[in-house]
Amino acid sequence: MRSIWNGAISFGLVSIPIKLVNATESHTVSFRQIHTEDGGRIRYRKVCELEDREVTQAEIGKAYEDADGTIIPITDEDLAHLPLPTAKTIDIVAFVPADRIDPLQMENAYYLAASGAPAAKPYTLLREALKRSRKVAIAKFALRGRERLGMLRVVDDVIAMHGLLWPDEIRVPQGVAPDVDVTVRDKELDLADALMDTLGEVDIQDLHDEYREALEEVIAAKAAGEAPPEAPEPAPGGKVLDLMAALEKSVRAAKQSRGEEVGEEAGEPVEEAGEPVEEAEGAEEAEVRHLPRGKRAGAAAKKTTAGKQAPAAKKTAAKKTTAAAKKSTSKAQSSRSAKKTASTAKSTAKKTPAKKTASRKRTA
């Protein structure tokens, strides 16, 4: 990787020659400005307004414009003689815990490479000291014409430096937070926690720029003379007006996306409605629909009544069925008894004359 700055790290009385290398790169798709009528490139030319002519890069210098419009030329030689100890040195001023640095201050990231074999030992010493202390180094350095603040930390086996904004460059977030009193209930926080747990963690390496990929597909299609791919249809839905319903539906959707089983109770509305969220102007639509409190209570009442009536109806039907079964059994038993009695009587009637006839024969 090409270095963009050469200097040294000043670590007390230790000086470590280093090279500064960009740690990040941009993959943004760049566009050119063209004339829409004929496709010709639109270019900017540097013109001297006094002479009304285009000038070359060699004729262009720096200057400071005063409040009254006065132009004060500043040469590279003037900048080279600035009374700054950080002109070619990354001067470490303190070591602090990493959580003392506000992420809002972080700017560009750089890798610090040891410059030559003699720098290897002190470079490794600083790297291992940072690792063992679990701290970061706060330093000052000068780059691109101004002094900056930096934070040194260890990434794998390399010392990295993040440019930091000066504390007075961080704006106070005055007037940004909601200016109305809002009460967040425990049930809403519980659902929010459940949604956070369901979404879980993510490996940053798995994330990618889908917009850039889609843009590249459009460019490739147009270059091949084909129609660009159509955008997917947005999912239909109502506007989010009930915070509790929105949270519940979000938890359900997150579980389904992770392949987890979702019970019926996950989609049922809670008994107590959440506070309505005011619809912001130009807000996008979501899939959650508002269910008024009256309808929800009525639905709950119907459900409760139906739940109470169902067991009673089942009980009554069971009693009727049992009674009918008993009655049928009784009739069957009576019928069998009657048939048995008749059969017995008939058999007896047949046997009696025979006995009388035999008796008469013996008498004669």
Side-chain angles (χ1 to χ4, degrees):
M1 290 185 283
R2 185 176 62 87
S3 63
I4 61 172
W5 184 90
N6 295 331
I9 300 175
S10 176
F11 177 33
L13 297 178
V14 178
S15 180
I16 310 171
I18 57 97
K19 296 179 179 179
L20 197 67
V21 178
N22 278 321
T24 61
E25 59 185 3
S26 175
H27 292 163
T28 303
V29 177
S30 300
F31 293 103
R32 301 291 188 186
Q33 291 185 327
I34 62 169
H35 187 200
T36 55
E37 291 187 4
D38 53 20
R41 282 280 306 277
I42 302 297
R43 299 180 182 274
Y44 292 96
R45 293 177 177 157
K46 298 177 180 180
V47 176
C48 173
E49 62 180 16
L50 295 180
E51 299 181 12
D52 193 21
R53 69 175 181 88
E54 187 176 354
V55 295
T56 64
Q57 186 63 37
E59 300 177 86
I60 299 175
K62 301 181 183 70
Y64 174 80
E65 185 175 1
D66 207 349
D68 60 359
T70 303
I71 299 297
I72 304 172
I74 301 293
T75 65
D76 291 338
E77 186 178 356
D78 295 332
L79 297 176
H81 289 85
L82 287 176
L84 286 177
T86 58
K88 283 292 182 180
T89 304
I90 299 174
D91 186 18
I92 296 177
V93 297
F95 293 89
V96 301
D99 58 8
R100 289 270 301 276
I101 306 301
D102 189 341
L104 284 174
Q105 287 185 258
M106 292 187 182
E107 287 191 304
N108 296 335
Y110 308 94
Y111 290 135
L112 305 182
S115 182
K121 181 65 179 284
Y123 182 97
T124 305
L125 172 65
L126 176 59
R127 183 191 66 198
E128 296 304 314
L130 288 171
K131 279 185 180 180
R132 190 167 73 171
S133 68
R134 297 184 180 178
K135 293 183 177 181
V136 297
I138 303 301
K140 286 183 175 183
F141 67 102
L143 183 65
R144 297 191 178 102
R146 68 184 184 96
E147 188 176 52
R148 304 185 180 202
L149 200 60
M151 178 190 76
L152 277 64
R153 68 184 183 96
V154 178
V155 177
D156 296 333
D157 289 330
V158 175
I159 299 176
M161 182 174 68
H162 296 269
L164 299 178
L165 296 173
W166 296 99
D168 60 359
E169 292 180 307
I170 304 297
R171 300 175 63 183
V172 178
Q174 186 174 1
V176 179
D179 58 355
V180 295
D181 293 333
V182 178
T183 301
V184 178
R185 299 177 302 138
D186 289 339
K187 286 185 178 180
E188 294 166 337
L189 283 173
D190 292 342
L191 278 172
D193 289 341
L195 177 58
M196 292 168 64
D197 292 340
T198 303
L199 291 176
E201 298 182 357
V202 65
D203 186 352
I204 299 297
Q205 300 297 329
D206 295 336
L207 302 179
H208 56 280
D209 188 350
E210 296 181 7
Y211 179 84
R212 177 174 59 86
E213 291 178 356
L215 187 58
E216 289 174 348
E217 289 181 8
V218 171
I219 294 173
K222 298 208 71 172
E226 302 173 355
E230 296 183 0
E233 291 292 334
K239 296 179 180 178
V240 177
L241 296 178
D242 192 315
L243 181 57
M244 291 292 287
L247 287 170
E248 285 180 335
K249 195 167 185 69
S250 297
V251 171
R252 187 183 184 93
K255 287 184 177 180
Q256 289 175 340
S257 67
R258 292 167 64 90
E260 298 180 13
E261 293 185 0
V262 181
E264 292 296 330
E265 65 277 2
E268 293 179 359
V270 293
E271 293 295 329
E272 187 176 357
E275 294 184 4
V277 180
E278 292 186 3
E279 180 188 349
E281 184 178 356
E284 295 183 358
E285 294 186 349
E287 296 183 358
V288 181
R289 298 185 180 277
H290 177 54
L291 188 61
R293 182 185 291 271
K295 289 185 180 179
R296 289 161 66 136
K302 287 181 181 178
K303 185 176 180 181
T304 304
T305 304
K308 289 181 178 178
Q309 289 177 351
K314 289 181 179 178
K315 191 173 181 181
T316 303
K319 285 182 177 179
K320 289 181 178 180
T321 303
T322 304
K326 287 182 178 179
K327 189 174 181 181
S328 175
T329 304
S330 178
K331 286 182 178 180
Q333 289 177 350
S334 299
S335 177
R336 286 196 298 268
S337 178
K339 288 180 179 179
K340 186 176 181 182
T341 303
S343 176
T344 304
K346 188 175 181 181
S347 175
T348 303
K350 288 180 178 179
K351 290 178 180 179
T352 300
K355 286 181 179 180
K356 287 182 179 180
T357 304
S359 179
R360 286 174 183 174
K361 285 181 178 181
R362 285 194 298 269
T363 303

